[in-house]
Amino acid sequence: MSGLPAVLENAWNSALPVFQNVKNVLVSENSLETPRITRVGQLDSELLDQELTNLLQEPITKALALLNSRFKSSFQPELALFIQLTLYKLSIWNTGASYGAKLQDLRYVVTGSSTGNSTPSGLPRKTLLLHGTLTFLMPYFHNKLRNHALSHAWPDAPSSDSRRKAWVMLNSVESMYSLLGLVNFVAFLWGGRYRTLADRLLCMRLTPSRRSVKRDVSYEFMNRQMVWHAFTEFLLFLLPLISARAVRRRFYKLTTMLSPSLLLSLSPFKGILKPSSGWRQGERPPQKRGKYWALPDDQCAICAENIAFNLNVSDSTNAFTSFTSDPTLNSPEDAPAHPIHNPYQTTCGHIYCYQCIAERMLRIADEADDEEQGWECLRCSEQVKESRRYQVEVTESEGDMSASEYEFSSDLDLSTDLSGSMGTYSESGFSD
Ligand SMILES: [Zn+2]
Ligand SMILES: [Zn+2]
């Protein structure tokens, strides 16, 4: 045999006792293993029990208040005691765990229990009777006594009076009980046993009813819940810092950029779809062009844009139909789809409705971060900062009726003019 295996064998032999020791320790720990103590479960079970009592008490008092309105004030403590004792009988007495403890997978165990009379739960009857008395009857009688003492002015009695002495004693007992409760709670947090003083006095421990403690709430769910909670908190912190207006403006700009008519004008098939529109390749555009540069001059581009935003399918002029039917293809005989009401002219020389242009410019003035920014004209995409009323000079020879400011006198002149021309026409007819 070579030297190496011999060395390895020696090492193994020397390590064997150590392994054996570790094994023994593990085995002994397993046999003595105590179930994991969950303090939070014990505290939760107490809260759940209280909640349950309140839950039951509310409808009963409401129902009894219908029979007698004074019932609630006079019999409230008795009713609470009745509910608590009933629950105690049904839960701890019968099954060895309160409803809250059952929800937390806990049950009472009496250490050093004697083999006497036992309740259906298997717990000693004497212990449970004492426990119920300490937990429910004692607080009830204490309350009664205190109320009685207060209503009969025990604290105001002369110091030599026995009632005053009794009151002082009651107070000191109360303080002692509170102090003991505090000490007990600290001990409970330390050792994880005996949640209440009564439990400690009677050695009643809450232990997991199953060997392996399982979580009632899935860890995944808890995790997700925590993430969502953190996210909500963060949003609540963040939202006041975001300007809703700026976001809305950005969104509006984005939707304008993505509107069907613009996409159509950007698409490579533009020439196929609209052979007559646009300039030929190689030619420079005559001027800057806005989104609605091709709209006939007698129509309002803002009205056209507003309607293009309207996604209502029942409307014949919604975004989808406007995609297929280009407004520029309207024949001149048709009435304009978006007539201009109360025309106003921008600095770039384009005409819009007063209401439309005023609304847009007010919005820009409201939302703009800098003073210099103006509204972008939909026809020439120039910055518009002001607009004025559109005025047409009416000349008698043209008789332009579409002017916004024509006078009744011009109407009169027109009629005389027409008759005159008719007269000359008839005259020439006669002469011929
Ligand atoms: Zn308009
Ligand atoms: Zn313009």
Side-chain angles (χ1 to χ4, degrees), residues 155-426:
D156 300 330
S159 54
S160 56
D161 199 317
S162 59
R163 286 175 298 173
R164 176 66 182 265
K165 281 174 189 159
W167 175 254
V168 170
M169 209 166 88
L170 180 70
N171 272 337
S172 52
V173 168
E174 274 173 19
S175 327
M176 184 69 95
Y177 179 76
S178 307
L179 190 70
L180 282 175
L182 178 68
V183 170
N184 176 64
F185 189 68
V186 171
F188 165 72
L189 289 179
W190 188 266
R193 287 179 184 183
Y194 312 124
R195 189 189 54 198
T196 62
L197 268 177
D199 290 3
R200 193 174 288 275
L201 278 177
L202 300 169
C203 295
M204 284 173 72
R205 254 187 324 128
L206 273 172
T207 53
S209 52
R210 271 175 285 183
R211 199 88 181 141
S212 59
V213 181
K214 94 174 164 45
R215 277 179 204 280
D216 280 328
V217 182
S218 112
Y219 176 73
E220 279 295 311
F221 178 77
M222 252 164 56
N223 212 4
R224 216 171 301 147
Q225 201 68 13
M226 280 165 77
V227 168
W228 274 114
H229 183 74
F231 188 65
T232 324
E233 292 274 302
F234 176 69
L235 276 186
L236 283 179
F237 162 76
L238 192 72
L239 277 179
L241 303 176
I242 297 175
S243 157
R245 239 185 210 169
V247 171
R248 216 184 308 141
R249 188 169 33 139
R250 296 259 157 77
F251 177 74
Y252 186 79
K253 270 189 182 167
L254 197 73
T255 44
T256 336
M257 277 169 65
L258 294 175
S259 72
S261 45
L262 192 83
L263 288 178
L264 188 70
S265 70
L266 289 175
S267 81
F269 307 108
K270 190 178 75 178
I272 303 164
L273 290 168
K274 289 194 289 178
S276 61
S277 71
W279 56 91
R280 284 182 191 80
Q281 285 243 315
E283 269 182 48
R284 279 182 58 79
Q287 58 185 47
K288 272 172 86 181
R289 278 172 173 176
K291 202 172 118 190
Y292 283 87
W293 64 275
L295 198 75
D297 281 340
D298 60 347
Q299 301 196 18
C300 172
I302 301 175
C303 287
E305 192 189 43
N306 285 346
I307 285 178
F309 263 113
N310 180 13
L311 291 171
N312 187 3
V313 186
S314 62
D315 193 343
S316 60
T317 53
N318 65 40
F320 300 108
T321 49
S322 75
F323 178 81
T324 49
S325 67
D326 197 287
T328 57
L329 301 178
N330 276 356
S331 57
E333 288 83 33
D334 288 347
H338 317 293
I340 299 175
H341 304 285
N342 202 356
Y344 260 65
Q345 190 170 32
T346 58
T347 40
C348 60
H350 291 118
I351 301 169
Y352 298 96
C353 315
Y354 168 69
Q355 201 210 340
C356 298
I357 189 80
E359 188 237 322
R360 290 295 170 103
M361 289 183 73
L362 275 177
R363 189 196 293 167
I364 289 290
D366 231 18
E367 295 177 352
D369 307 320
D370 51 342
E371 296 285 308
E372 293 305 303
Q373 200 183 351
W375 177 68
E376 197 177 89
C377 176
L378 286 176
R379 289 180 184 273
C380 64
S381 69
E382 282 211 8
Q383 296 285 312
V384 175
K385 289 196 193 95
E386 58 183 67
S387 66
R388 59 180 182 278
R389 193 177 170 88
Y390 178 56
Q391 300 197 345
V392 179
E393 280 157 31
V394 186
T395 51
E396 289 182 8
S397 56
E398 287 176 9
D400 191 351
M401 302 286 278
S402 70
S404 62
E405 289 193 337
Y406 71 86
E407 292 161 3
F408 284 103
S409 58
S410 70
D411 198 5
L412 206 80
D413 292 344
L414 205 68
S415 61
T416 52
D417 226 9
L418 277 171
S419 65
S421 64
M422 268 180 75
T424 51
Y425 177 75
S426 59

Side-chain angles (χ1 to χ4, degrees), residues 61-80:
T61 40
K62 263 186 191 165
L64 290 174
L66 292 175
L67 298 175
N68 190 342
S69 53
R70 278 177 53 216
F71 190 89
K72 188 187 169 185
S73 51
S74 44
F75 289 107
Q76 180 88 359
E78 283 75 18
L79 192 66

